[in-house]
Amino acid sequence: MTARRSAAELLARHRAVLPSWLALNYEQPIELAAGKGCRVVDGEGREYLDFFAGILTNMLGYGVPEVTEAISAQADTGVLHTSTLYLIRSQVELAERIVALSGIPDAKVFFTSSGTEANEAALLLTTSARRSNQVLALRNSYHGRSYAAMGVTGNRGWSASSLSPLSVSYVMNGYRYRSPFGHLSDADYCRAAADDLREVLLTTTSGDVACMIAEPVQGVGGFVVPPDGFFRALKEVLDEHGIPFVSDEVQTGWGRTGETFWGISAHDVVPDAMTFAKGLGNGLSIGGVVARADLMDGLTANSISTFGGNPLSTRGALATLDYLQRHDLQANARAVGGRLLAMLRQVGAEAPVVGEVRGKGLMIGIELVEPRTTIPSPAAAARAMEATKRGGLLVGKGGLYGNVLRIAPPLTLTGDEADEGLEILRAALAEASGAA
Ligand code: PMP
């Protein structure tokens, strides 16, 4: 039993000493004090079913003994950290596992502490290899909060600065719901995107381009799912120019999308590099880039990461990967997520504020609009968020207009838990529709 702690008092202290731009969920933000499985308890003792899992980070859920034991065993050695100046057995083991899983020939891994740093590293590798500061990204993308990662983020709500020295060209994304090409068949949509990329290369770039970076399913952008084959079509154009492709798997990696282990594999594409973070450590701070050896080894000066790949986070990540694979959570994401998506589509058809329900595996977006239009309604999304909270369910929010509910529970979600969350969402969407 944890002692009751006031969220209002903590919020006041938070506001006094933390930045105003550090986004918080809910009119009355909450502190999550304990968790088990897919459920968390806030500081005031209220229990919630968690359909957001941190931010897709608590991939196995909370209080997983196998992960806790691995971390405790490492802590018991007295060594939490040694730095990359020393050999780290668990780092090497984890890199071997990720290389094998990546499908990238002759791959190597560099570990970081976050997704932002992972993308930063991928941008460093590709811009150095190609002697170019030009990068291609998708509109509505999110790649992190640092100077360069923010520089390739095509979402004004998360781009506080465009001053990075990268020269970025944004190409058409897979957001069919809001695309003038949305009516095209899958094959024609993919062709239109490839044509757009060709034109962007011709008209907005000069000489060599360092890379294209893209999320297979846009996460912060509102779980935007392009048609399968979309990235295959883009990759063919990139290959004509020898431009490396970086798949940002920070949200889509580790089987979350159900049908494939990496989001990009649904497109029959082997990227030149992939970045990862979030779920790998089941909440521990870990990220990295896995890339072709020639890209990875291409830097011409020494580099280190003091904390990247430290013994504690890599031990926890190995235990997380073991659990994930032993329990085939990718298959669970496909089965439970597929059914949840189908049920949510039915719920959406009954709620006038739901414009679209889309997703893959346990990554489902519900886009809210002014009733029976396609006009984005951030107000309806905010109302639905508050209603789910009152109902005892945590969900996320995103989208270019802040009007998309994001559902991304731990990959251990059971069918019963999915049904329970579904009923709370049904009520919340009805309430948001009624108030619209
Ligand atoms: N890439 C993607 C696709 C992300 O969703 C995020 C985080 N939301 C990042 C990169 C940045 O990761 P981090 O917050 O760990 O720096």
Side-chain angles (χ1 to χ4, degrees), residues 114-116 119 142-144 215 220 248 250-251 278:
S114 69
T116 295
N119 284 331
Y142 181 92
H143 296 292
E215 303 154 85
V220 172
D248 180 340
V250 166
Q251 298 213 7
K278 294 225 193 270

Side-chain angles (χ1 to χ4, degrees), residues 182-233:
H183 60 282
L184 296 180
S185 69
D186 282 1
D188 285 346
Y189 190 92
C190 296
R191 251 189 300 277
D195 289 347
D196 180 61
L197 172 57
R198 264 198 197 90
E199 174 141 339
V200 165
L201 280 167
L202 264 178
T203 57
T204 73
T205 64
S206 60
D208 287 344
V209 169
C211 71
M212 169 179 263
I213 184 165
E215 303 154 85
V217 175
Q218 293 185 321
V220 172
F223 288 178
V224 168
V225 188
D228 286 353
F230 179 85
F231 287 106
R232 173 82 255 145

Side-chain angles (χ1 to χ4, degrees), residues 57 200 323:
T57 25
V200 165
Y323 190 103

Side-chain angles (χ1 to χ4, degrees), residues 91-111 254 261-262 274 276 289-293 296 321:
Q91 183 182 92
V92 175
E93 281 173 26
L94 184 61
E96 288 167 349
R97 294 276 290 274
I98 293 172
V99 160
L101 286 165
S102 74
I104 299 175
D106 295 326
K108 288 190 168 186
V109 182
F110 173 68
F111 287 106
W254 320 115
F261 194 75
W262 305 105
M274 288 192 283
F276 56 82
V289 48
V290 50
R292 276 175 15 214
M296 187 63 88
L321 264 188

Side-chain angles (χ1 to χ4, degrees), residues 112-400:
T112 66
S113 303
S114 69
T116 295
E117 289 168 81
N119 284 331
E120 199 72 31
L123 291 169
L124 178 69
L125 295 176
T126 52
T127 52
S128 302
R130 302 272 293 167
R131 313 294 314 150
S132 166
N133 71 335
Q134 298 179 79
V135 175
L136 299 160
L138 299 190
R139 296 184 200 134
N140 194 41
S141 58
Y142 181 92
H143 296 292
R145 66 171 158 71
S146 67
Y147 209 45
M150 196 181 277
V152 292
T153 288
N155 182 332
R156 184 181 275 258
W158 297 98
S159 291
S161 167
S162 65
L163 299 175
S164 96
L166 293 175
S167 166
V168 185
S169 299
Y170 288 99
V171 301
M172 179 174 150
N173 61 16
Y175 199 176
R176 297 184 71 160
Y177 184 65
R178 298 212 172 273
S179 165
F181 303 105
H183 60 282
L184 296 180
S185 69
D186 282 1
D188 285 346
Y189 190 92
C190 296
R191 251 189 300 277
D195 289 347
D196 180 61
L197 172 57
R198 264 198 197 90
E199 174 141 339
V200 165
L201 280 167
L202 264 178
T203 57
T204 73
T205 64
S206 60
D208 287 344
V209 169
C211 71
M212 169 179 263
I213 184 165
E215 303 154 85
V217 175
Q218 293 185 321
V220 172
F223 288 178
V224 168
V225 188
D228 286 353
F230 179 85
F231 287 106
R232 173 82 255 145
L234 296 191
K235 181 78 162 63
E236 277 163 19
V237 179
L238 297 177
D239 286 347
E240 288 165 16
H241 297 263
I243 300 171
F245 178 69
V246 179
S247 182
D248 180 340
E249 299 278 349
V250 166
Q251 298 213 7
T252 49
W254 320 115
R256 176 161 292 277
T257 58
E259 63 191 36
T260 53
F261 194 75
W262 305 105
I264 198 63
S265 309
H267 299 264
D268 195 20
V269 165
V270 178
D272 300 281
M274 288 192 283
T275 55
F276 56 82
K278 294 225 193 270
L280 176 60
N282 203 43
L284 291 167
S285 177
I286 187 165
V289 48
V290 50
R292 276 175 15 214
D294 61 313
L295 272 180
M296 187 63 88
D297 287 336
L299 294 188
T300 51
N302 291 330
S303 198
I304 58 160
S305 173
T306 302
F307 288 115
N310 66 69
L312 196 68
S313 62
T314 46
R315 274 276 158 244
L318 280 166
T320 303
L321 264 188
D322 283 344
Y323 190 103
L324 180 90
Q325 293 188 296
R326 196 164 336 109
H327 296 267
D328 199 356
L329 296 186
Q330 180 189 329
N332 192 58
R334 186 171 51 223
V336 178
R339 192 169 148 271
L340 184 58
L341 177 63
M343 305 288 280
L344 277 170
R345 285 200 163 125
Q346 287 176 19
V347 168
E350 293 158 13
V353 289
V354 173
E356 186 180 51
V357 179
R358 55 180 175 253
K360 255 189 185 178
L362 281 171
M363 205 173 172
I364 302 175
I366 306 175
E367 174 143 6
L368 301 196
V369 292
E370 300 295 337
R372 295 178 196 84
T373 71
T374 57
I375 302 165
S377 179
R383 277 197 302 273
M385 277 280 280
E386 294 296 333
T388 49
K389 181 187 166 208
R390 262 184 274 115
L393 179 74
L394 302 183
V395 298
K397 190 151 67 81
L400 200 53

